[in-house]
Amino acid sequence: MILVFVHGWSVTDTNTYGRLPEALSAQAAKFNLQLKIKHIWLGRYISFHDEVTVADVARAFDRALHEQVLDAEGVSEFSCITHSTGGPVVREWIERYYGSEGLGEMPLRHLIMLAPANHGSPLAKLGKARVGRIKAWFGGVEPGQRILDWLSLGSQQQIELASDFLDYHLTGTGFYPFVLTGQTIDKKLYDFVNPYLVEPGSDGVVRVATANLNYSMIRFVESDETMGVSHGSDAEEVHLLQLDGPVRRPVHVPFGVIPNASHSGKSKGIMRSVVSPTTGSKPQVQEILQCLQVADDAKYEERAGDLRRLTAHSQHRGHRYTNLVFVLKDDQDDPILDYDLFLLGGEGHDPDKLSKGFFVDRQQNSAHPNHLVYYVNYDVITRNELTGFRVLAQPREGFAYYHAVEYHPCDNSLNGLLQPNETLYIEIVLHRCVDKNAFRFDNASDPKLHTQLLPLPHETRHSFKDEQPEGTEVE
């Protein structure tokens, strides 16, 4: 078996892998695997230059495979272990060179992602210089801006890669992806100035919900149906949103939460804390080797069940969270940049009726302000029931404007859409209203336009500088 390692973002040496490669090689025989240290390749890629993108690294990864990981037929069949940003890098390579239709032709057999930032990291919002100082991720190396943009919560690149993965069908392809992540904070690595370093439901860098490659995508569109609503002392008419198509989910990818594992560091890091080839105290070693044992679809399903039970054990005290990514646009496919979004609870669909403690964080994507990410406590919000959401987009009046909209599910609950440890992408499409007075004609023969002689050619026949909206929408 050939095993390739791909590190995370802004790593500058291969010490980042710790002794995990040696531990896997030393203990492989216990799992009936043939894995020699000479068959293990340690990836090293450049991610700390601003011009480098995830796609650039994926292209260079492909070239390195073709130059260095070869047999008589071309690129050798191999398995891959990634850490952090390495997961999205390899996923980008898969999509770019094979896609949903070419999985059976791909030389990659197992993809085991450790703490992958599949749906981003909240730390990316902090900015390049500040993030570079966080020991938990970079150890003083200033990271590259383009990859930082990819990692920002709700980035367009994440959404596109997630959309592509919806079309993947793994059965019969011989390709087996897995995600293993931690949910422990290593307090030795943090200065506690930034709350994201000790964020619940994360390993100190990546949220469990944003590591998980199981997620949902759903789309809502504004309908013509209206209703009167009252929030506090304000009452108004809103347009209701309706589902546009089914909830879309990718094929299930086995997912496990490793106990007592953080993102990085020699003490608890999911990869680097393996400091001895013979260690028996780090469960991730045996979990990885069991993933590498999978050779057919039945064993893949069995491994999924094992990791599901591991996750339940690791989270037996609760502490499960959900990542919500809202994407707001109008029916002209333009982003909505000025808006307020409210989550609603209770029978009256009231933003004040959700239980205290459900909300953890909210971030707006810098490059795409119409992408808004909520991070919520799954166990709290589902106990009280999320019963809708409300969008107030600006402007609300004028020659072009938007209606206030709300979504109220028929069964009075959105709980069925929410899953613990997962990301839910919610696209909301509003109708862009245009007043008919945005464009009118005057007939040149209209007598009202000839009531006085026009001595100068630049004088207007009919000024419409003070034209007002009529209140009638064009279709």
Side-chain angles (χ1 to χ4, degrees):
M1 172 182 287
I2 292 177
L3 190 58
V4 170
F5 278 76
V6 180
H7 59 71
W9 178 43
S10 286
V11 168
T12 57
D13 63 65
T14 54
N15 287 328
T16 189
Y17 300 119
R19 301 301 296 276
L20 180 59
E22 291 86 352
L24 295 175
S25 176
Q27 300 181 41
K30 299 177 184 177
F31 296 83
N32 297 316
L33 293 170
Q34 298 294 320
L35 180 58
K36 304 298 182 183
I37 194 68
K38 66 180 181 180
H39 295 148
I40 297 178
W41 296 81
L42 305 181
R44 51 183 179 86
Y45 65 88
I46 304 301
S47 63
F48 42 86
H49 286 257
D50 285 346
E51 71 272 16
V52 177
T53 69
V54 169
D56 293 336
V57 178
R59 292 171 61 192
F61 174 70
D62 186 72
R63 179 61 179 264
L65 289 174
H66 281 84
E67 287 189 350
Q68 296 179 273
V69 187
L70 295 168
D71 59 21
E73 304 297 324
V75 176
S76 301
E77 187 175 282
F78 70 99
S79 293
C80 186
I81 296 174
T82 69
H83 180 242
S84 195
T85 310
V89 164
V90 176
R91 288 178 55 220
E92 173 68 25
W93 171 78
I94 294 170
E95 177 59 28
R96 176 175 290 268
Y97 291 98
Y98 299 95
S100 61
E101 300 300 320
L103 297 179
E105 306 301 319
M106 185 172 62
L108 178 59
R109 298 276 62 87
H110 306 88
L111 173 59
I112 302 169
M113 293 172 275
L114 305 180
N118 283 319
H119 308 284
S121 167
L123 289 174
K125 177 78 169 180
L126 302 180
K128 190 174 86 164
R130 188 175 178 188
V131 168
R133 296 194 296 268
I134 296 175
K135 292 185 294 182
W137 206 350
F138 308 108
V141 177
E142 190 165 282
Q145 184 63 52
R146 298 289 295 276
I147 295 181
L148 183 69
D149 293 340
W150 196 105
L151 291 169
S152 296
L153 293 176
S155 76
Q156 184 61 33
Q157 299 97 315
Q158 292 166 23
I159 295 173
E160 290 172 359
L161 198 56
S163 297
D164 293 334
F165 191 70
L166 291 172
D167 296 326
Y168 283 35
H169 300 283
L170 303 181
T171 302
T173 64
F175 170 53
Y176 307 108
F178 304 86
V179 171
L180 303 175
T181 194
Q183 194 174 338
T184 299
I185 304 298
D186 187 350
K187 297 180 181 179
K188 294 180 181 179
L189 293 173
Y190 307 122
D191 56 17
F192 296 97
V193 172
N194 191 311
Y196 291 130
L197 299 173
V198 290
E199 188 175 53
S202 83
D203 63 2
V205 171
V206 173
R207 295 167 175 171
V208 172
T210 58
N212 197 349
L213 205 49
N214 301 299
Y215 53 92
S216 300
M217 288 185 154
I218 191 169
R219 188 173 192 262
F220 296 94
V221 298
E222 181 180 339
S223 72
D224 293 330
E225 184 180 356
T226 63
M227 69 175 296
V229 300
S230 177
H231 295 294
S233 59
D234 298 326
E236 65 176 320
E237 184 178 78
V238 301
H239 283 237
L240 296 181
L241 293 166
Q242 63 184 15
L243 279 171
D244 184 32
V247 178
R248 302 185 66 198
R249 289 182 62 82
V251 63
H252 182 78
V253 173
F255 169 79
V257 176
I258 303 295
N260 201 36
S262 65
H263 194 78
S264 58
K266 294 182 180 179
S267 175
K268 297 180 181 180
I270 195 169
M271 184 167 63
R272 198 169 185 182
S273 68
V274 179
V275 296
S276 168
T278 58
T279 182
S281 62
K282 297 297 180 181
Q284 55 266 46
V285 175
Q286 70 174 28
E287 295 297 340
I288 291 170
L289 288 167
Q290 288 177 314
C291 291
L292 291 173
Q293 281 184 312
V294 171
D296 56 49
D297 294 338
K299 288 293 184 182
Y300 190 59
E301 289 297 320
E302 183 179 326
R303 185 90 271 261
D306 292 341
L307 292 176
R308 193 177 295 113
R309 287 184 286 273
L310 174 67
T311 299
H313 175 73
S314 299
Q315 297 182 327
H316 68 281
R317 295 182 179 178
H319 306 294
R320 301 179 300 171
Y321 298 82
T322 299
N323 208 57
L324 305 174
V325 181
F326 290 93
V327 177
L328 283 77
K329 59 176 63 176
D330 62 30
D331 54 7
Q332 306 303 305
D333 208 31
D334 287 329
I336 294 175
L337 304 179
D338 187 2
Y339 60 90
D340 293 301
L341 189 150
F342 305 90
L343 302 182
L344 308 177
E347 293 184 4
H349 308 291
D350 192 325
D352 294 325
K353 296 300 182 182
L354 288 168
S355 296
K356 182 179 180 181
F358 86 90
F359 175 81
V360 182
D361 183 62
R362 180 176 64 182
Q363 274 196 19
Q364 188 177 42
N365 186 270
S366 298
H368 300 277
N370 62 316
H371 297 182
L372 183 66
V373 181
Y374 274 85
Y375 186 50
V376 298
N377 186 313
Y378 171 82
D379 295 297
V380 173
I381 201 169
T382 54
R383 183 168 61 242
N384 182 252
E385 292 196 349
L386 176 67
T387 59
F389 50 83
R390 169 181 174 86
V391 178
L392 300 178
Q394 301 297 333
R396 301 284 305 282
E397 59 184 9
F399 290 103
Y401 58 94
Y402 299 102
H403 299 130
V405 299
E406 292 194 9
Y407 176 65
H408 304 160
C410 296
D411 60 359
N412 208 37
S413 173
L414 279 167
N415 287 8
L417 292 177
L418 302 182
Q419 297 294 326
N421 304 318
E422 289 193 11
T423 291
L424 172 62
Y425 289 94
I426 303 172
E427 181 180 346
I428 300 174
V429 181
L430 304 187
H431 175 59
R432 184 170 178 84
C433 307
V434 178
D435 189 272
K436 79 170 191 176
N437 276 0
F439 192 108
R440 306 300 292 164
F441 286 107
D442 287 333
N443 191 282
S445 65
D446 190 333
K448 291 183 293 184
L449 304 180
H450 296 276
T451 56
Q452 60 180 2
L453 186 65
L454 300 177
L456 295 175
H458 67 269
E459 291 187 9
T460 59
R461 288 185 171 90
H462 182 185
S463 173
F464 50 90
K465 180 176 67 174
D466 298 322
E467 190 84 30
Q468 297 296 314
E470 183 189 89
T472 301
E473 295 179 27
V474 302
E475 295 184 1

